Amino acid sequence: MTRPTPTVVRTVADLRAAVSAFRAKGDTIAMVPTMGALHAGHISLVEAAKAAGARVVVSIFVNPTQFAPTEDFSKYPRTFEADLAKLAAVDAELVYAPTVDVMYPRGFVTSVNLAGPATAGLEDVARPHHFGGVATIVTKLFTQCRPDLAIFGEKDFQQLAVIRRMAVDLDLAVDVRGAPTIREADGLAMSSRNVYLTAADRAKAPHLHAAMQTAAAAIRRGGLAAIETALAAGRATIAANGFALDYLECRAADDLGAARPDTALRLLVAARIGQVRLIDNIAV
Ligand code: PAF
């Protein structure tokens, strides 16, 4: 059966009109912010929003302010028509795809200033401006759409922690929810950037997840006292498999601070293989 293509709106006024029409029927609104190049991980976020009984607004906007000049903004994959087809298949009804001028009009100077999980010494080390750009655009998306809830992938675990904290601190009145990482059969976390892996690097990529699983198992067995040894072994394995490691850390899952006995723990990793920087994380 051919499903209807989602309605695409490109301005704040059209977004608000469409959302108001949902609200007039008493519907709950869920937002799934994306940068497009949708894969099964994104689609699982839409499905989670639908499972929550909400009308789903998917935003597609490749946000320039979260890329450093040296990063891949211009070559970030843009696959709008294919994205719409994937969204139609899961009955997403509304797509918000603003232009850069809508999101950053002439004279734009305001941004969100962050600390806490945004300065945890993980992604923020290699990408010092990244979370400022993410927080600013997500704040704009939330205030433009005013959803009841928003769903983000746990794949970007630090981003999720930053947005959760920000939504509380700034009274954004959005219930920020995480959804589990979707993986390929061999364990590689799905990412829009995986398309850039060469065949040889794609074959090595699952070692990252495998090394994390081994480290997590050692920490589960040995508790906090086992963390440093498990991390050292994991770092060595990752390097031995041809990655240039940025970090492998074990942190408190709530605020990404130092591991504590009273909180759930999370292992987080970032490493380059060839031209591609992969990130991943798992619960301990
Ligand atoms: O996770 C992403 O795709 C982006 O960082 C987000 C949340 C859509 C903001 O541009």
Side-chain angles (χ1 to χ4, degrees):
M1 190 183 78
T2 315
R3 315 273 187 125
T5 307
T7 303
V8 178
V9 291
R10 295 193 179 273
T11 66
V12 179
D14 287 348
L15 171 68
R16 287 196 174 147
V19 169
S20 296
F22 291 156
R23 288 225 181 272
K25 293 185 182 141
D27 291 334
T28 300
I29 313 297
M31 184 163 223
V32 177
T34 82
M35 298 203 299
L38 302 183
H39 51 65
H42 297 108
I43 298 306
S44 75
L45 307 182
V46 176
E47 287 169 339
K50 294 222 118 197
R55 304 295 282 265
V56 187
V57 182
V58 178
S59 64
I60 298 182
F61 179 67
V62 187
N63 174 34
T65 65
Q66 68 189 75
F67 292 79
T70 51
E71 291 178 337
D72 54 357
F73 173 69
S74 60
K75 72 177 179 80
Y76 194 85
R78 288 161 173 85
T79 56
F80 192 68
E81 294 307 322
D83 292 347
L84 287 188
K86 287 176 188 167
L87 292 172
V90 286
D91 287 331
E93 295 139 303
L94 187 61
V95 170
Y96 176 44
T99 59
V100 172
D101 289 347
V102 165
M103 295 313 261
Y104 297 107
R106 204 177 161 79
F108 186 95
V109 290
T110 305
S111 61
V112 178
N113 188 27
L114 302 162
T119 54
L122 300 165
E123 282 305 283
D124 48 298
V125 174
R127 311 183 74 192
H129 304 293
H130 176 68
F131 290 120
V134 169
T136 302
I137 205 69
V138 170
T139 302
K140 284 185 67 97
L141 289 168
F142 283 0
T143 53
Q144 290 170 342
C145 178
R146 299 178 193 137
D148 301 291
L149 60 120
I151 306 197
F152 295 84
E154 287 183 348
K155 157 89 173 18
D156 295 295
F157 200 78
Q158 191 176 4
Q159 168 174 279
L160 177 60
V162 168
I163 294 169
R164 276 204 169 113
R165 183 74 252 168
M166 177 181 79
V168 171
D169 289 352
L170 299 184
D171 301 311
L172 296 179
V174 179
D175 174 6
V176 175
R177 299 186 189 175
T181 302
I182 304 295
R183 298 181 181 280
E184 305 286 356
D186 59 11
L188 175 65
M190 289 199 186
S191 163
S192 304
R193 292 185 169 98
N194 290 353
V195 295
Y196 300 129
L197 289 166
T198 63
D201 292 340
R202 173 66 189 80
K204 290 182 198 156
H207 286 295
L208 207 54
H209 182 235
M212 277 198 304
Q213 282 183 307
T214 305
I219 297 168
R220 271 179 224 123
R221 281 194 305 272
L224 293 190
I227 289 178
E228 280 318 314
T229 308
L231 293 180
R235 288 171 187 142
T237 303
I238 290 166
N241 281 292
F243 291 85
L245 182 68
D246 277 357
Y247 60 81
L248 172 68
E249 295 291 345
C250 180
R251 296 293 180 86
D254 53 0
D255 60 6
L256 301 183
R260 307 187 302 269
D262 61 323
T263 57
L265 300 179
R266 201 90 188 173
L267 270 179
L268 304 103
V269 72
R272 280 174 208 282
I273 184 122
Q275 300 301 309
V276 184
R277 186 169 182 276
L278 298 175
I279 63 169
D280 201 350
N281 66 87
I282 59 172
V284 172

